[in-house]
Amino acid sequence: MQVLRSVGVLSFAKMSGAVYGALGLVFAPFVLLAGMIGSIAGPRQNPLGPVFSIFFAIMMPVLYAGIGFVMGAVGAFAYNLVAKWVGGVEVELFSPAPPVLVGTAGPNPGANI
């Protein structure tokens, strides 16, 4: 077992921001659909309803990525503080053996016939 004692704050924040930005891309069509249905089905037609839903669907991945970046940085910083006192998380790492080459490069001593 290996112990994960610290996490790179910026590295984790970038990864978290990318993951949350991708989630924002996944959820944006559903928000757009709900906004469009809500603006059509309401008792009073609001001409700005579709505009707001389109704007929010476009901004959603950016907002998710920004919030994911900030919260990832805060989480990684907090992990580093707590890991100093508690000792970190135990992780089992696996490295596959390097491939074994059958032939060797260079002259073959048995080929002199």
Side-chain angles (χ1 to χ4, degrees), residues 30-51:
F30 297 109
V31 170
L32 184 62
L33 183 64
M36 292 297 180
I37 290 173
S39 68
I40 293 171
R44 200 177 85 201
Q45 294 283 335
N46 185 357
L48 293 179
V51 174

Side-chain angles (χ1 to χ4, degrees), residues 1-9 11-12 75-93:
M1 288 284 190
Q2 302 286 329
V3 177
L4 183 61
R5 293 184 147 188
S6 68
V7 177
V9 174
S11 173
F12 191 81
F77 182 74
Y79 177 83
N80 289 340
L81 286 178
V82 173
K84 289 180 183 176
W85 299 324
V86 178
V89 175
E90 289 186 8
V91 181
E92 183 176 347
L93 302 175

Side-chain angles (χ1 to χ4, degrees), residues 47-58:
L48 293 179
V51 174
F52 285 130
S53 63
I54 290 171
F55 175 75
F56 189 68
I58 291 171

